[in-house]
Amino acid sequence: MKKVLFLLISLISISVSAQKLEHGALIGGSIGFPMQDKGESVTPPSDNISYNHDLKGGGLLGYRFRFLPVSKSFFDVDVTMGFQGMSTYKYSPYYESDENGNFATGKDGRSFSEFIMPISLSASWNYKFTDKFHAGVGVAPTLYVQPQAVFDLAVLAKIGYRVSKYCELGLTYQYGCLDVMKHFNEGPALGRRGHFSDLMLSVYIPFVIK
């Protein structure tokens, strides 16, 4: 955590010395992918709990600060709040056997939905290949405030296209490095663990250009 904060402070300190600054609104939509880790194999009979997750489409609102040095590289610092739904199916892989000794799967299953709200502060280094097209990489420390307060550290890669002076389109892939889903358990259930990743399409609308 301290290393992450130090990296962000360093990026911001370097950026402050830039000759140009622009900032504006950031809105977007995303599709998520729960990267569920494979747990230990379950041998019947067992009542261990497992989960299947399906992330729904989501969106985000935020604000971007862009620091533009003289060179072709520049820094973005984004403060964002996201909102996304996730449906979960909770079940016992092997619950009981029938009269022939065969074990049933998915017995006693239950489906429920959850609302996920991440708040993120991301910093990225970007390089301009042309006047309109750029690509970059960065980090995004994230705090999930729903359904539980959980910290994650994500890495990201993105591309952007400047449509006009006051509009830019961006495509970002973000992968969470920490196992956050294990904190969303209802009790000490087994099997619910994994990482979050998402693909986001965003629109950046600069308000101030210097």
Side-chain angles (χ1 to χ4, degrees), residues 6-23 64-71 73-78 121-126 137 158 210:
F6 176 77
L7 177 60
L8 286 175
I9 293 173
S10 299
L11 288 175
I12 295 173
S13 298
I14 295 173
S15 301
V16 168
S17 62
Q19 294 186 2
K20 295 182 180 181
L21 168 68
E22 71 175 34
H23 53 88
R64 169 172 291 171
F65 298 90
R66 174 165 291 177
F67 301 92
L68 298 162
V70 178
S71 63
S73 63
F74 61 90
F75 293 95
D76 283 341
V77 177
D78 300 340
L121 173 64
S122 65
S124 63
W125 174 85
N126 305 270
V137 293
K158 65 178 185 175
K210 293 185 179 181

Short mmCIF file of all heavy atoms in Angstrom, two decimals, residues 6-23 64-71 73-78 121-126 137 158 210:
data_model
loop_
_atom_site.label_atom_id
_atom_site.label_comp_id
_atom_site.label_asym_id
_atom_site.label_seq_id
_atom_site.Cartn_x
_atom_site.Cartn_y
_atom_site.Cartn_z
N PHE A 6 3.31 5.89 -2.84
CA PHE A 6 4.55 6.57 -3.23
C PHE A 6 4.61 6.72 -4.74
O PHE A 6 5.01 7.77 -5.26
CB PHE A 6 5.76 5.79 -2.73
CG PHE A 6 7.08 6.36 -3.17
CD1 PHE A 6 7.60 7.49 -2.55
CD2 PHE A 6 7.79 5.78 -4.21
CE1 PHE A 6 8.81 8.04 -2.96
CE2 PHE A 6 8.99 6.31 -4.63
CZ PHE A 6 9.51 7.44 -4.01
N LEU A 7 4.19 5.67 -5.48
CA LEU A 7 4.20 5.74 -6.94
C LEU A 7 3.24 6.80 -7.44
O LEU A 7 3.57 7.58 -8.33
CB LEU A 7 3.83 4.37 -7.52
CG LEU A 7 3.71 4.29 -9.05
CD1 LEU A 7 5.04 4.66 -9.70
CD2 LEU A 7 3.28 2.90 -9.48
N LEU A 8 2.04 6.85 -6.86
CA LEU A 8 1.07 7.85 -7.28
C LEU A 8 1.56 9.26 -6.99
O LEU A 8 1.42 10.17 -7.82
CB LEU A 8 -0.27 7.60 -6.58
CG LEU A 8 -1.09 6.42 -7.08
CD1 LEU A 8 -2.32 6.24 -6.21
CD2 LEU A 8 -1.48 6.60 -8.52
N ILE A 9 2.14 9.46 -5.81
CA ILE A 9 2.65 10.78 -5.43
C ILE A 9 3.78 11.20 -6.38
O ILE A 9 3.88 12.35 -6.80
CB ILE A 9 3.12 10.79 -3.97
CG1 ILE A 9 1.91 10.62 -3.03
CG2 ILE A 9 3.86 12.09 -3.65
CD1 ILE A 9 2.29 10.45 -1.57
N SER A 10 4.62 10.22 -6.75
CA SER A 10 5.72 10.53 -7.66
C SER A 10 5.21 10.94 -9.02
O SER A 10 5.69 11.90 -9.63
CB SER A 10 6.64 9.30 -7.79
OG SER A 10 7.20 8.95 -6.55
N LEU A 11 4.20 10.20 -9.52
CA LEU A 11 3.63 10.54 -10.83
C LEU A 11 3.00 11.92 -10.81
O LEU A 11 3.17 12.71 -11.73
CB LEU A 11 2.60 9.49 -11.24
CG LEU A 11 3.15 8.12 -11.64
CD1 LEU A 11 2.00 7.16 -11.89
CD2 LEU A 11 4.03 8.23 -12.87
N ILE A 12 2.26 12.22 -9.73
CA ILE A 12 1.61 13.52 -9.63
C ILE A 12 2.64 14.63 -9.49
O ILE A 12 2.49 15.71 -10.08
CB ILE A 12 0.62 13.53 -8.44
CG1 ILE A 12 -0.52 12.54 -8.71
CG2 ILE A 12 0.07 14.92 -8.21
CD1 ILE A 12 -1.45 12.36 -7.53
N SER A 13 3.73 14.39 -8.73
CA SER A 13 4.76 15.41 -8.55
C SER A 13 5.45 15.73 -9.87
O SER A 13 5.71 16.89 -10.18
CB SER A 13 5.80 14.91 -7.53
OG SER A 13 5.19 14.71 -6.27
N ILE A 14 5.71 14.67 -10.66
CA ILE A 14 6.31 14.90 -11.97
C ILE A 14 5.36 15.67 -12.86
O ILE A 14 5.74 16.57 -13.61
CB ILE A 14 6.70 13.55 -12.61
CG1 ILE A 14 7.80 12.88 -11.79
CG2 ILE A 14 7.17 13.75 -14.05
CD1 ILE A 14 8.13 11.47 -12.26
N SER A 15 4.07 15.31 -12.75
CA SER A 15 3.08 15.93 -13.63
C SER A 15 2.86 17.39 -13.32
O SER A 15 2.54 18.18 -14.21
CB SER A 15 1.75 15.17 -13.50
OG SER A 15 1.92 13.82 -13.85
N VAL A 16 3.00 17.78 -12.07
CA VAL A 16 2.75 19.17 -11.68
C VAL A 16 3.70 20.12 -12.40
O VAL A 16 3.37 21.27 -12.68
CB VAL A 16 2.87 19.31 -10.15
CG1 VAL A 16 2.92 20.77 -9.74
CG2 VAL A 16 1.70 18.61 -9.48
N SER A 17 4.90 19.60 -12.73
CA SER A 17 5.88 20.44 -13.41
C SER A 17 5.61 20.56 -14.90
O SER A 17 6.36 21.21 -15.62
CB SER A 17 7.29 19.87 -13.19
OG SER A 17 7.38 18.56 -13.74
N ALA A 18 4.56 19.91 -15.40
CA ALA A 18 4.24 19.98 -16.82
C ALA A 18 3.83 21.40 -17.20
O ALA A 18 3.34 22.17 -16.39
CB ALA A 18 3.12 19.00 -17.15
N GLN A 19 4.04 21.74 -18.47
CA GLN A 19 3.75 23.09 -18.93
C GLN A 19 2.28 23.29 -19.25
O GLN A 19 1.81 24.42 -19.26
CB GLN A 19 4.60 23.40 -20.16
CG GLN A 19 6.09 23.47 -19.87
CD GLN A 19 6.89 23.93 -21.07
OE1 GLN A 19 6.33 24.22 -22.11
NE2 GLN A 19 8.20 24.00 -20.91
N LYS A 20 1.54 22.22 -19.53
CA LYS A 20 0.15 22.35 -19.90
C LYS A 20 -0.72 21.46 -19.02
O LYS A 20 -0.30 20.39 -18.61
CB LYS A 20 -0.06 21.99 -21.37
CG LYS A 20 0.62 22.91 -22.35
CD LYS A 20 0.32 22.51 -23.78
CE LYS A 20 1.00 23.44 -24.78
NZ LYS A 20 0.69 23.06 -26.19
N LEU A 21 -1.91 21.93 -18.76
CA LEU A 21 -2.86 21.16 -17.96
C LEU A 21 -4.25 21.28 -18.56
O LEU A 21 -4.68 22.37 -18.92
CB LEU A 21 -2.89 21.67 -16.51
CG LEU A 21 -4.02 21.14 -15.64
CD1 LEU A 21 -3.85 19.65 -15.36
CD2 LEU A 21 -4.09 21.93 -14.33
N GLU A 22 -4.92 20.14 -18.69
CA GLU A 22 -6.33 20.17 -19.06
C GLU A 22 -7.07 19.20 -18.15
O GLU A 22 -6.49 18.25 -17.62
CB GLU A 22 -6.55 19.81 -20.54
CG GLU A 22 -6.29 18.36 -20.89
CD GLU A 22 -6.64 18.06 -22.35
OE1 GLU A 22 -6.46 18.94 -23.19
OE2 GLU A 22 -7.08 16.92 -22.61
N HIS A 23 -8.35 19.44 -17.94
CA HIS A 23 -9.14 18.55 -17.09
C HIS A 23 -10.60 18.63 -17.51
O HIS A 23 -11.05 19.60 -18.13
CB HIS A 23 -8.97 18.91 -15.61
CG HIS A 23 -9.23 20.34 -15.28
ND1 HIS A 23 -10.47 20.84 -14.97
CD2 HIS A 23 -8.38 21.40 -15.22
CE1 HIS A 23 -10.39 22.12 -14.71
NE2 HIS A 23 -9.13 22.50 -14.86
N ARG A 64 -11.04 13.78 -14.84
CA ARG A 64 -9.67 13.51 -15.29
C ARG A 64 -8.83 14.77 -15.27
O ARG A 64 -9.27 15.84 -15.69
CB ARG A 64 -9.67 12.92 -16.70
CG ARG A 64 -8.29 12.84 -17.37
CD ARG A 64 -8.35 12.07 -18.66
NE ARG A 64 -8.60 10.65 -18.40
CZ ARG A 64 -8.87 9.76 -19.35
NH1 ARG A 64 -8.98 10.16 -20.62
NH2 ARG A 64 -9.08 8.51 -19.04
N PHE A 65 -7.60 14.60 -14.76
CA PHE A 65 -6.59 15.66 -14.85
C PHE A 65 -5.49 15.16 -15.77
O PHE A 65 -4.89 14.11 -15.52
CB PHE A 65 -6.02 15.97 -13.46
CG PHE A 65 -7.04 16.49 -12.49
CD1 PHE A 65 -7.76 15.61 -11.68
CD2 PHE A 65 -7.28 17.85 -12.38
CE1 PHE A 65 -8.70 16.09 -10.79
CE2 PHE A 65 -8.22 18.33 -11.48
CZ PHE A 65 -8.93 17.44 -10.68
N ARG A 66 -5.24 15.91 -16.83
CA ARG A 66 -4.22 15.52 -17.81
C ARG A 66 -3.08 16.53 -17.80
O ARG A 66 -3.29 17.73 -18.01
CB ARG A 66 -4.83 15.41 -19.20
CG ARG A 66 -3.80 15.16 -20.31
CD ARG A 66 -4.47 14.71 -21.59
NE ARG A 66 -5.04 13.36 -21.44
CZ ARG A 66 -5.73 12.75 -22.39
NH1 ARG A 66 -5.97 13.37 -23.54
NH2 ARG A 66 -6.19 11.53 -22.19
N PHE A 67 -1.88 16.02 -17.56
CA PHE A 67 -0.68 16.86 -17.51
C PHE A 67 0.12 16.64 -18.79
O PHE A 67 0.52 15.53 -19.10
CB PHE A 67 0.16 16.51 -16.28
CG PHE A 67 -0.61 16.68 -15.00
CD1 PHE A 67 -1.31 15.62 -14.44
CD2 PHE A 67 -0.63 17.91 -14.35
CE1 PHE A 67 -2.01 15.78 -13.26
CE2 PHE A 67 -1.33 18.07 -13.16
CZ PHE A 67 -2.02 17.01 -12.62
N LEU A 68 0.34 17.71 -19.53
CA LEU A 68 0.92 17.63 -20.87
C LEU A 68 2.29 18.30 -20.92
O LEU A 68 2.39 19.53 -21.03
CB LEU A 68 -0.01 18.31 -21.88
CG LEU A 68 -1.41 17.70 -22.04
CD1 LEU A 68 -2.34 18.69 -22.71
CD2 LEU A 68 -1.32 16.41 -22.84
N PRO A 69 3.35 17.51 -20.83
CA PRO A 69 4.68 18.09 -21.02
C PRO A 69 4.94 18.36 -22.50
O PRO A 69 4.11 18.09 -23.36
CB PRO A 69 5.63 17.01 -20.47
CG PRO A 69 4.86 15.75 -20.62
CD PRO A 69 3.40 16.10 -20.46
N VAL A 70 6.12 18.88 -22.80
CA VAL A 70 6.45 19.23 -24.18
C VAL A 70 6.61 17.99 -25.05
O VAL A 70 6.29 17.99 -26.24
CB VAL A 70 7.73 20.08 -24.23
CG1 VAL A 70 8.11 20.42 -25.66
CG2 VAL A 70 7.54 21.36 -23.42
N SER A 71 7.09 16.89 -24.46
CA SER A 71 7.33 15.67 -25.22
C SER A 71 6.02 15.00 -25.60
O SER A 71 4.93 15.46 -25.27
CB SER A 71 8.18 14.70 -24.40
OG SER A 71 7.49 14.31 -23.23
N SER A 73 4.88 12.19 -24.51
CA SER A 73 4.26 11.46 -23.41
C SER A 73 3.51 12.42 -22.49
O SER A 73 3.82 13.60 -22.42
CB SER A 73 5.31 10.70 -22.61
OG SER A 73 6.23 11.60 -22.02
N PHE A 74 2.50 11.90 -21.80
CA PHE A 74 1.74 12.71 -20.85
C PHE A 74 1.15 11.80 -19.78
O PHE A 74 1.13 10.57 -19.91
CB PHE A 74 0.64 13.51 -21.56
CG PHE A 74 -0.39 12.66 -22.27
CD1 PHE A 74 -1.53 12.23 -21.60
CD2 PHE A 74 -0.21 12.30 -23.59
CE1 PHE A 74 -2.49 11.46 -22.25
CE2 PHE A 74 -1.16 11.53 -24.24
CZ PHE A 74 -2.30 11.11 -23.58
N PHE A 75 0.66 12.42 -18.71
CA PHE A 75 0.11 11.68 -17.58
C PHE A 75 -1.37 12.01 -17.41
O PHE A 75 -1.79 13.15 -17.55
CB PHE A 75 0.85 12.04 -16.28
CG PHE A 75 2.27 11.58 -16.25
CD1 PHE A 75 3.30 12.44 -16.62
CD2 PHE A 75 2.60 10.29 -15.85
CE1 PHE A 75 4.62 12.03 -16.60
CE2 PHE A 75 3.90 9.87 -15.81
CZ PHE A 75 4.92 10.73 -16.18
N ASP A 76 -2.14 10.97 -17.09
CA ASP A 76 -3.54 11.12 -16.71
C ASP A 76 -3.73 10.69 -15.27
O ASP A 76 -3.21 9.63 -14.86
CB ASP A 76 -4.46 10.27 -17.60
CG ASP A 76 -4.69 10.89 -18.96
OD1 ASP A 76 -4.46 12.10 -19.11
OD2 ASP A 76 -5.10 10.15 -19.88
N VAL A 77 -4.46 11.48 -14.51
CA VAL A 77 -4.87 11.11 -13.15
C VAL A 77 -6.40 11.16 -13.12
O VAL A 77 -6.98 12.23 -13.32
CB VAL A 77 -4.27 12.04 -12.09
CG1 VAL A 77 -4.78 11.67 -10.70
CG2 VAL A 77 -2.74 11.98 -12.13
N ASP A 78 -7.03 10.01 -12.90
CA ASP A 78 -8.49 9.91 -12.94
C ASP A 78 -9.04 9.56 -11.56
O ASP A 78 -8.53 8.66 -10.88
CB ASP A 78 -8.93 8.81 -13.92
CG ASP A 78 -8.46 9.07 -15.34
OD1 ASP A 78 -8.13 10.24 -15.64
OD2 ASP A 78 -8.41 8.12 -16.13
N LEU A 121 -8.70 5.73 -7.80
CA LEU A 121 -7.78 6.81 -8.15
C LEU A 121 -6.69 6.19 -9.02
O LEU A 121 -5.86 5.43 -8.53
CB LEU A 121 -7.17 7.45 -6.90
CG LEU A 121 -6.06 8.47 -7.14
CD1 LEU A 121 -6.60 9.68 -7.90
CD2 LEU A 121 -5.41 8.90 -5.82
N SER A 122 -6.73 6.47 -10.31
CA SER A 122 -5.79 5.83 -11.23
C SER A 122 -4.80 6.85 -11.78
O SER A 122 -5.12 8.03 -11.94
CB SER A 122 -6.53 5.16 -12.39
OG SER A 122 -7.19 6.12 -13.20
N ALA A 123 -3.60 6.37 -12.07
CA ALA A 123 -2.56 7.19 -12.69
C ALA A 123 -1.97 6.40 -13.84
O ALA A 123 -1.64 5.21 -13.69
CB ALA A 123 -1.48 7.55 -11.67
N SER A 124 -1.83 7.04 -14.99
CA SER A 124 -1.32 6.33 -16.16
C SER A 124 -0.33 7.20 -16.93
O SER A 124 -0.45 8.43 -16.98
CB SER A 124 -2.47 5.91 -17.08
OG SER A 124 -3.16 7.03 -17.59
N TRP A 125 0.65 6.53 -17.53
CA TRP A 125 1.60 7.17 -18.43
C TRP A 125 1.19 6.83 -19.85
O TRP A 125 0.90 5.66 -20.17
CB TRP A 125 3.01 6.67 -18.16
CG TRP A 125 4.02 7.18 -19.16
CD1 TRP A 125 4.68 8.37 -19.12
CD2 TRP A 125 4.48 6.50 -20.33
NE1 TRP A 125 5.53 8.48 -20.20
CE2 TRP A 125 5.42 7.35 -20.97
CE3 TRP A 125 4.19 5.28 -20.92
CZ2 TRP A 125 6.08 7.00 -22.14
CZ3 TRP A 125 4.83 4.92 -22.10
CH2 TRP A 125 5.76 5.78 -22.70
N ASN A 126 1.14 7.84 -20.72
CA ASN A 126 0.64 7.65 -22.07
C ASN A 126 1.63 8.21 -23.09
O ASN A 126 2.37 9.16 -22.80
CB ASN A 126 -0.70 8.36 -22.25
CG ASN A 126 -1.72 7.93 -21.21
OD1 ASN A 126 -2.46 6.99 -21.40
ND2 ASN A 126 -1.75 8.63 -20.07
N VAL A 137 -0.26 2.86 -20.05
CA VAL A 137 -0.35 1.85 -18.99
C VAL A 137 -0.36 2.57 -17.65
O VAL A 137 0.13 3.71 -17.54
CB VAL A 137 0.81 0.84 -19.05
CG1 VAL A 137 0.74 -0.01 -20.31
CG2 VAL A 137 2.16 1.57 -18.99
N LYS A 158 -4.52 1.01 -21.89
CA LYS A 158 -5.58 1.74 -22.56
C LYS A 158 -5.09 2.34 -23.88
O LYS A 158 -3.89 2.53 -24.09
CB LYS A 158 -6.13 2.85 -21.66
CG LYS A 158 -5.14 3.96 -21.34
CD LYS A 158 -5.81 5.02 -20.49
CE LYS A 158 -4.90 6.20 -20.24
NZ LYS A 158 -5.56 7.30 -19.51
N LYS A 210 -5.32 24.35 -21.43
CA LYS A 210 -4.31 25.40 -21.33
C LYS A 210 -3.10 25.05 -22.19
O LYS A 210 -2.79 23.90 -22.39
CB LYS A 210 -3.87 25.60 -19.86
CG LYS A 210 -4.98 26.16 -18.99
CD LYS A 210 -4.46 26.43 -17.60
CE LYS A 210 -5.53 27.00 -16.69
NZ LYS A 210 -5.03 27.30 -15.32
#
